[in-house]
Amino acid sequence: MAAVAERVFSGVQPTGNLHLGNYLGAIKRFVELQERFDCIYCVVDLHAITVWQEPEELKRHTREVTAAFIACGIDPKKHIVFNQSQVSGHAELAWIFNCVARMGWLNRMTQFKEKAGKDRENVSVGLFAYPDLMAADILLYRATHVPVGEDQKQHLELTRDIAQKFNTDFGPSLSGLGFGEGYFPLTEPVIAGPATRVMSLRDGSKKMSKSDASDFSRINLTDDAEAIAGKVRRAKTDPEPLPSEEAGLKERPEADNLVGIYAALLDGTKQSVLDQFGGGQFSTFKGALVDLAVEKLSPIAGEMKRLMADVSAIDAILADGADRARVIADKTIADVKDIVGMVRR
Ligand code: TYM
C-alpha cells in the first residue's frame, strides 16, 4: 500500500439537540486528537437530509454544530471545519461507492433497520445508502483515524470493506497508474474512554439520542445550569448504594451510565469515580455530578450562544474550511476518476 499520511476525519449531523453523548463520545475526542493529528471535522448536512429537515432549521443547526465544535475547543484555523455540501466530492465519491458496496452489506446495517423500522418502503433511498456517503466522507481525505461513539462502529467496518473492495477491484489499474497496491487506507476507528455509549437518563437500556421525545432523557449542550440540575436529579437510578468496584456496575445500567458520564467529564476512569463515591447514596453522587456537569458544560453553552450571535463569522469559518477541504478532495476525485477509467479534462 502506498504510504498515506495519518489524518483524522469525523462528522456530526446538524439535526438539532446536540447532547452530552455527542460531546463525550465524539466532540471531546475531536478536541484531544488535534494535538497529534491533522484533523478534518465536518457538519454532515447531506446525511441530515436523509430524513426530512425544515430548510431554515437545517441552516440553524449547521451553524449550531459549527459553534459547538469551536466552543468545545476545536481550532478551525489549525484544522479544517466545514459543512459537507460545500465540497461536491462527497456526493461524487459516494456515487462511486454506491457502485462498489453490495446490497447485502447495506441490508445488514443495524442503524438503518432501527431508523427505518417497519416503514422500510417509505424511507428515502438516501437513508439506505447513508453508510456509502459516510465511507466517502472519510476516504475522500484518505483519513486513517475516525473518532466516533460506539453506535458508528458498524459503519466504520463497512468503510473498511468498501476501501478494500475498491483497492482489490481496481488493483491492476492502481499499479498501472503507479499507486502501488492500495489507494484507500483501511481506516481505524477511535472508540475509547468511559463514555462511548452514553445512555438515556430516563432508561439505561436506550442510547441518549437527539430524537428521543423526552428532553429529560438527555443533557443538551445548550442547557443552562438549572436545566442540567433538574435532569440529573430526575435521572433514573436503582435503590442500592453505589458499588465500590467496577464489576458491581454490571446489570445496573443507570448507575453504570452516570458513573461513566462523571468519569468522562473528569477524564478519569469509572473505578476512580467509585473509589470516591462507592458505598454512598445516589443523592450525594448526583449532587457532585450536577456540579461537575455545570462546571464543564456551562462555558460551552455560553460560548455557543456568543458565537451564534454572529452568523456571518460562522459562515466565513465554514467557507474557509470548505476551500481548504476542497483542495484535498479534488485531488482524490481526480485520482479516483483515473483509477475507475473516466475521461476527464
Ligand atoms: P451523529 O450526528 O448521530 O452523532 C455524532 C457523534 O456522536 C456520537 N454519539 C454518541 N456517542 C456516545 N453516546 C451517545 N449516546 C451518542 N450519540 C451519538 C456518534 O457516534 C457520532 O460519533 N453517521 C454519523 C455522522 C457521520 C460521520 C461521518 C462520522 C457522517 N459521516 C464520517 C464519522 C465519519 C452520525 O450520525 O453521527
Side-chain angles (χ1 to χ4, degrees):
M1 154 128 18
V4 175
E6 293 199 318
R7 183 180 278 145
V8 166
F9 180 95
S10 198
V12 174
Q13 293 196 74
T15 40
N17 295 332
L18 272 186
H19 54 70
L20 190 63
N22 299 130
Y23 176 61
L24 296 177
I27 304 174
K28 194 168 182 296
R29 286 274 110 70
F30 299 179
V31 175
E32 293 157 7
L33 288 166
Q34 293 183 108
E35 298 299 318
R36 290 194 288 128
F37 296 93
D38 285 335
C39 302
I40 303 178
Y41 296 128
C42 185
V43 187
V44 291
D45 48 5
L46 297 175
H47 276 109
I49 61 163
T50 57
V51 297
W52 172 251
Q53 304 295 324
E54 287 298 331
E56 281 310 312
E57 291 282 282
L58 180 63
K59 279 191 193 163
R60 190 169 65 79
H61 290 149
T62 299
R63 291 169 178 142
E64 194 171 271
V65 174
T66 311
F69 281 175
I70 296 164
C72 291
I74 290 169
D75 182 343
K77 289 208 171 71
K78 278 202 191 130
H79 301 274
I80 294 179
V81 171
F82 73 108
N83 59 311
Q84 196 182 24
S85 60
Q86 292 207 54
V87 179
S88 58
H90 291 259
E92 281 186 81
L93 189 58
W95 180 260
I96 290 175
F97 288 169
N98 282 342
C99 303
V100 172
R102 307 287 93 182
M103 290 292 286
W105 299 1
L106 292 180
N107 269 328
R108 283 196 285 276
M109 294 294 115
T110 52
Q111 202 149 69
F112 174 74
K113 286 184 209 164
E114 273 164 32
K115 282 194 183 168
K118 291 198 177 75
D119 205 19
R120 268 179 92 124
E121 294 297 309
N122 255 326
V123 295
S124 73
V125 175
L127 191 68
F128 185 69
Y130 181 114
D132 291 347
L133 178 60
M134 191 164 152
D137 297 341
I138 297 165
L139 296 175
L140 189 58
Y141 305 96
R142 299 208 271 169
T144 51
H145 296 76
V146 181
V148 282
E150 177 106 25
D151 61 340
Q152 297 300 315
K153 195 167 170 215
Q154 196 186 29
H155 287 158
L156 294 188
E157 283 160 7
L158 184 90
T159 300
R160 289 166 70 97
D161 290 343
I162 289 176
Q164 181 114 54
K165 187 169 187 322
F166 182 94
N167 289 343
T168 310
D169 287 354
F170 295 103
S173 176
L174 284 174
S175 39
L177 288 162
F179 286 118
E181 281 174 20
Y183 182 74
F184 289 120
L186 301 184
T187 305
E188 291 289 329
V190 182
I191 303 174
T196 55
R197 189 174 173 82
V198 177
M199 307 308 277
S200 156
L201 299 180
R202 308 296 293 156
D203 176 352
S205 68
K206 266 174 44 189
K207 189 178 74 166
M208 186 178 284
S209 148
K210 293 169 184 168
S211 53
D212 195 311
S214 166
D215 201 50
F216 276 95
S217 69
R218 65 183 161 258
I219 294 176
N220 300 306
L221 284 189
T222 48
D223 281 347
D224 60 18
E226 200 183 327
I228 294 174
K231 288 174 180 181
V232 172
R233 292 221 176 82
R234 283 178 61 168
K236 190 178 168 200
T237 49
D238 57 44
E240 303 295 319
L242 278 164
S244 301
E245 299 299 326
E246 209 176 320
L249 292 171
K250 277 219 177 86
E251 318 292 327
R252 296 180 64 185
E254 285 85 13
D256 187 36
N257 190 37
L258 294 181
V259 169
I261 290 172
Y262 194 99
L265 282 171
L266 208 59
D267 291 318
T269 59
K270 288 184 188 174
Q271 188 56 53
S272 68
V273 178
L274 295 177
D275 290 343
Q276 193 180 348
F277 295 99
Q281 295 301 320
F282 271 105
S283 52
T284 317
F285 175 61
K286 279 184 168 180
L289 180 56
V290 168
D291 291 346
L292 179 64
V294 169
E295 179 197 322
K296 300 284 181 187
L297 301 179
S298 292
I300 297 176
E303 187 59 6
M304 279 176 71
K305 210 167 171 187
R306 193 187 69 75
L307 290 163
M308 285 296 281
D310 188 353
V311 167
S312 57
I314 294 184
D315 291 0
I317 288 169
L318 292 173
D320 171 63
D323 286 345
R324 289 185 288 135
R326 210 176 290 118
V327 173
I328 308 170
D330 285 353
K331 167 80 173 80
T332 306
I333 292 295
D335 288 349
V336 167
K337 285 183 174 174
D338 290 344
I339 293 165
V340 173
M342 288 163 168
V343 175
R344 65 182 179 91
R345 57 203 300 237

